[in-house]
Amino acid sequence: SGRQIHKLPGTGSVGGVRLVLQRLAATGLVHVDDVGNSLLYHLNRKHLVAPAVEFLADLRGTLSSRLADEISAWRIPPVHASLYGPIARGDGDLESDVDLLLIRPDQIDQGDILWEDQAGRLMRTIVDLTGNPAHVFELSRAELAGHLTTEEPILNDWLRPSLPLSGLPLASLLADDTHLAAR
């Protein structure tokens, strides 16, 4: 219904959403069914622009998939890679950074040329795909354990929500590191 669709983005007015739905119905992109006291809307998947609408509706999924594909070709794979912040929460805008958490293996130094090259290419890919600035928070697994002992607030940003791209799940890494730190 129009009210249900209005709740999805969390912005605008019910009347404004209904007006847009009426315009989309007039173009044939949306079909309308009159059911009792409600009008129910659904996408006309046969419409020529329906694939473009579906593509636009899943931009975060497409971005995640492309970044995961790029990372899967790395010669030094990360222990973990995920998107967090506005892109993961779905509340970003044109000015938002695309925030990426990269955890490198402990045996790879911070200044490792190959690692830095991989991470730099990934940042450029993010900018090329989105037009938004890329912000990478990169650390080793041992440095991650250090964040646990200080209980830094950024841990909450990394966890809720995040879009995993590669490697071990962050929650299991944190649980393992907490267990090791308790010894």
Side-chain angles (χ1 to χ4, degrees), residues 80 82 101 103 144 155 158-159 162 164 167-175:
H80 171 86
S82 61
L101 173 62
I103 300 174
L144 175 65
L155 291 170
W158 293 340
L159 284 169
S162 68
L168 299 170
L170 185 58
S172 68
L173 284 173
L174 294 173

Side-chain angles (χ1 to χ4, degrees), residues 91-104:
D91 61 6
D93 58 26
L94 294 175
E95 305 299 319
S96 298
D97 287 355
V98 176
D99 297 313
L100 177 71
L101 173 62
L102 278 179
I103 300 174
R104 69 180 183 282

Side-chain angles (χ1 to χ4, degrees), residues 123-136:
M123 288 179 69
R124 287 187 298 279
T125 297
I126 289 170
V127 173
D128 287 346
L129 291 174
T130 67
N132 292 57
H135 175 258
V136 176

Side-chain angles (χ1 to χ4, degrees), residues 2 8 21 46 69 89 94 116 135 181:
L8 292 174
L21 288 168
K46 293 180 183 177
D69 287 348
R89 291 189 308 267
L94 294 175
E116 291 296 318
H135 175 258

Side-chain angles (χ1 to χ4, degrees), residues 24 27-31 43-56:
L24 293 173
T27 68
L29 181 59
V30 170
H31 287 221
L43 179 65
N44 172 10
R45 287 190 163 71
K46 293 180 183 177
H47 197 282
L48 290 174
V49 298
V53 169
E54 289 174 322
F55 175 78
L56 290 171

